[in-house]
Amino acid sequence: MSSVTAVGDCSGRNGADVLLEVLESEGIDYIFGNPGTTELPLIDALLRHHSVKYVFALQEASAVAMADGYAQATRKPGFINLHTAGGLGHGMGNLINAKVSQTPLVVTAGQQDLRHTLTDPLLYDDLVSIARPNVKWAQEVTNASQLPILLRRAFNDADAAPKGPVFLSLPMDVMEQQCDVTVPEQSRIIHRYTAGSLDILAKEIAQISPGRLAIIAGDEIHDSDASTEVVALAEMLGASVYGSSFPARIPFPTAHPLWAGNMPMNAKLISEILQNYDAILGLGGKSLITVLYSEIPAVPSHCQVFQLSADPSDLGRTYVSKLSTIGDLQCSLKVLLPLLKQELQQIDFDAKSLLDAAFVRQQQKQKTLHADVSAHFSETPVSPLVAAFEAARAIGPDITIIDEALATTNALRASLSSHQATQYSFFRGGALGWAMPAAVGFSLGRGREPVVCFVGDGAAMYSPQALWTAAHENLPITFIVMNNQEYNILKNFMRSQESYTSAQTGKFIAMDITNPVIDYQALALSMGVTACKVTQASDIAPTVEHCIRSGKTCLVEIVISA
């Protein structure tokens, strides 16, 4: 149990002290939150516990996403403290993101003093019922002596597959309650286990014709730190590797010739790609997420489905699986690889020709990309392709990228070329307002390393408060606002629907961010962030490079075409 350092005339030990002792023993470095009256016992106790730092967010949605980014960067649970029902409500959009992304979070919220809940006090509501639909479980602490067990349970369950947020309501009187409860040692729980029937899976995969198997690389690869094993598997088979259609990250080196890019978000387009394969091997769950309805299923009837995932709820959930097995990806692939190698040797399988062909395809794609960039380089406003390419060129292969700029997402992914499998992250939950605060969490989680955050001009208005926290923490984050002054994706969808009146008239309601235009430089400057505006393609790379080298929080607004 960690010691408590007395400050001033403070004596004794209350529920807030117990909570912080548990956090210290769990190795928690940061609490992400925005305080209100019900959180004051915890805020006060932080003066007695110096190893846990409070990261001050100016709005609860930002606090949740900061913790999400931190948890993804460190592969351990993030800890959040919100303010009553209103604060929990503010954080709900990013809590949904965390649920969908399966990010391990321990979410707490201050609750009114239980001794006067019968009088319907201000800020009181049933926090457990509010949180429950979007967390693995929710409970209210009613006595300070319950804190060690419930917090241990929360950290364990958040980090157990399928990972995700859990919730504890912390009444103010419980946090103030004097308590002599002992904080027990941590239990040693090994969550990683090897899947069964891997010998059968190896035999099945080996029977698929060379080049006719596609690997779908899901987000669990990152969670399990299994990218090395996935690369070995792909090279052994000479198999193309596709990313999830709406991923939390790209868990495969984008510079590798077998990387085929992310799947599209339309079932019909996914099906067109999979027509070229006899089978897919899904590594991790929920990798073929679609946005809009399609009469054509994503997986063609002739295409066999094999799955390996630690999440049993997704195996065989949507598409018939010939064989799916449950287990940690890294542990299971370490066993599968030698079994598969043995099977392939028996049939004299040759992956070299497939690898050579993949290298040729990669070179051709790069030539085409560079030609397209050159063809559009002098355009004004800057084309989304050129803006993304030039920014990616400046960033290089090693710096962390957080992306929520949908107008340039496809171009940015096409422009990446990294030998790492941890460079790129995205908002899998689909709720805007994640990226800017998540960038703060990623930087903190990676030892205050540089991060570049791409955000659309519309998305930038969901959690702009993150700019202040980034500057307050003096983090080396470069925020790039891709500004086309409109909700371009929505307009393009409406244009694709001939029956829509908007498509026929060219008029779109509530999709232009004009009259007045938003001054992103003034917004950044108001929060202590250096900012500049770029309108020429030739200025993008030098500007981004300068911001990264500065080691400061910066904002770059790039004006792009629709």
Side-chain angles (χ1 to χ4, degrees):
M1 184 172 68
S2 303
S3 61
V4 177
T5 303
V7 175
D9 296 327
C10 296
S11 62
R13 178 169 169 268
N14 61 22
D17 289 308
V18 174
L19 183 148
L20 289 170
E21 288 170 16
V22 175
L23 296 192
E24 289 167 341
S25 69
E26 290 281 346
I28 296 301
D29 301 311
Y30 300 105
I31 296 174
F32 297 89
N34 177 265
T37 308
T38 53
E39 291 70 54
L40 294 182
L42 176 60
I43 296 297
D44 185 67
L46 283 166
L47 293 173
R48 304 187 291 275
H49 298 262
H50 304 298
S51 64
V52 180
K53 177 175 172 57
Y54 191 91
V55 179
F56 186 12
L58 299 185
Q59 210 262 12
E60 288 88 350
S62 291
V64 174
M66 288 175 191
D68 187 322
Y70 176 82
Q72 291 194 39
T74 59
R75 295 191 180 96
K76 67 179 185 180
F79 188 85
I80 302 166
N81 187 234
L82 306 177
H83 176 51
T84 64
L88 180 57
H90 289 156
M92 196 60 69
N94 277 324
L95 190 58
I96 292 171
N97 278 334
K99 173 188 175 183
V100 175
S101 298
Q102 297 184 347
T103 305
L105 298 176
V106 175
V107 185
T108 65
Q111 174 64 290
Q112 264 287 5
D113 191 312
L114 294 178
R115 292 169 297 185
H116 75 146
T117 57
L118 287 177
T119 66
D120 298 323
L122 185 68
L123 303 175
Y124 174 75
D125 210 323
D126 185 351
L127 301 185
V128 170
S129 294
I130 295 171
R132 185 174 285 131
N134 294 301
V135 295
K136 295 177 73 171
W137 56 259
Q139 189 166 340
E140 186 163 90
V141 183
T142 57
N143 190 286
S145 64
Q146 300 171 348
L147 283 164
I149 290 178
L150 287 178
L151 284 165
R152 290 279 192 238
R153 187 178 299 170
F155 278 102
N156 177 62
D157 290 353
D159 209 31
K163 298 183 181 185
V166 298
F167 177 79
L168 286 173
S169 169
L170 303 176
M172 191 172 183
D173 54 313
V174 172
M175 291 291 95
E176 293 176 331
Q177 180 184 348
Q178 294 296 298
C179 182
D180 60 1
V181 66
T182 299
V183 175
E185 293 183 2
Q186 285 180 280
S187 299
R188 187 182 181 197
I189 302 172
I190 307 300
H191 292 295
R192 311 185 90 175
Y193 53 93
T194 303
S197 302
L198 293 175
D199 55 337
I200 301 175
L201 181 60
K203 290 180 183 296
E204 292 281 1
I205 292 173
Q207 292 173 11
I208 300 166
S209 298
R212 300 292 295 180
L213 172 74
I215 295 173
I216 312 296
D219 296 326
E220 280 182 47
I221 294 170
H222 170 87
D223 299 335
S224 182
D225 195 15
S227 61
T228 300
E229 289 73 22
V230 176
V231 169
L233 176 66
E235 291 178 347
M236 187 180 293
L237 294 165
S240 296
V241 179
Y242 293 88
S244 301
S245 55
F246 212 89
R249 57 191 63 85
I250 294 178
F252 194 85
T254 51
H256 198 289
L258 290 173
W259 173 244
N262 287 87
M263 282 288 181
M265 294 179 285
N266 178 285
K268 181 177 181 292
L269 297 178
I270 295 174
S271 179
E272 290 175 359
I273 292 173
L274 296 183
Q275 290 291 342
N276 300 311
Y277 299 96
D278 296 329
I280 60 172
L281 174 59
L283 299 177
K286 299 178 177 62
S287 294
L288 298 180
I289 299 170
T290 55
V291 178
L292 300 171
Y293 170 74
S294 171
E295 294 182 357
I296 299 175
V299 179
S301 58
H302 77 275
C303 193
Q304 297 176 332
V305 175
F306 299 92
Q307 293 173 287
L308 175 57
S309 174
D311 181 1
S313 67
D314 196 56
L315 301 182
R317 179 180 177 87
T318 305
Y319 304 102
V320 175
S321 171
K322 186 168 185 181
L323 177 61
S324 292
T325 184
I326 305 167
D328 174 81
L329 290 185
Q330 187 188 66
C331 294
S332 301
L333 288 173
K334 284 181 180 293
V335 174
L336 177 65
L337 284 167
L339 294 172
L340 180 60
K341 182 178 180 181
Q342 183 178 359
E343 293 290 335
L344 294 175
Q345 286 174 341
Q346 292 178 11
I347 61 174
D348 197 25
F349 187 93
D350 178 24
K352 184 177 183 304
S353 60
L354 296 171
L355 286 166
D356 290 343
F359 179 77
V360 172
R361 288 195 301 271
Q362 181 192 49
Q363 295 298 106
Q364 184 57 51
K365 285 171 64 176
Q366 288 297 313
K367 287 178 62 177
T368 301
L369 174 63
H370 283 80
D372 288 344
V373 170
S374 296
H376 296 282
F377 195 83
S378 60
E379 293 178 2
T380 304
V382 181
S383 78
L385 170 64
V386 173
F389 180 87
E390 285 296 288
R393 184 169 68 85
I395 294 165
D398 301 322
I399 293 175
T400 298
I401 294 172
I402 312 300
D403 184 19
E404 196 178 85
L406 289 171
T408 55
T409 288
N410 290 338
L412 175 60
R413 292 176 185 171
S415 302
L416 299 178
S417 183
S418 175
H419 293 284
Q420 299 184 38
T422 57
Q423 183 181 31
Y424 177 90
S425 293
F426 188 69
F427 66 124
R428 176 176 162 182
L432 294 174
W434 173 82
M436 295 179 78
V440 172
F442 267 93
S443 183
L444 290 171
R446 294 184 173 168
R448 295 178 174 266
E449 291 184 356
V451 170
V452 176
C453 173
F454 288 80
V455 64
D457 53 326
M461 300 312 298
Y462 282 74
S463 296
Q465 302 91 343
L467 291 169
W468 183 89
T469 303
H472 181 67
E473 292 288 339
N474 196 27
L475 294 174
I477 302 174
T478 300
F479 295 93
I480 298 178
V481 179
M482 293 294 188
N483 187 2
N484 57 19
Q485 297 188 352
E486 66 179 27
Y487 289 174
N488 178 256
I489 289 196
L490 297 183
K491 283 188 176 182
N492 286 340
F493 172 75
M494 296 185 82
R495 290 185 183 109
S496 71
Q497 307 298 309
E498 294 182 1
S499 62
Y500 277 32
T501 304
S502 294
Q504 299 167 9
T505 63
K507 296 180 179 179
F508 303 90
I509 295 175
M511 294 186 194
D512 293 293
I513 310 177
T514 56
N515 193 26
V517 297
I518 297 170
D519 190 337
Y520 294 95
Q521 297 170 81
L523 177 64
L525 290 171
S526 74
M527 298 191 190
V529 174
T530 301
C532 62
K533 187 174 186 176
V534 176
T535 59
Q536 300 293 326
S538 57
D539 294 331
I540 294 174
T543 302
V544 173
E545 289 170 353
H546 172 76
C547 289
I548 294 171
R549 284 198 306 268
S550 75
K552 302 292 185 181
T553 306
C554 302
L555 183 143
V556 180
E557 177 188 355
I558 302 177
V559 179
I560 62 173
S561 59

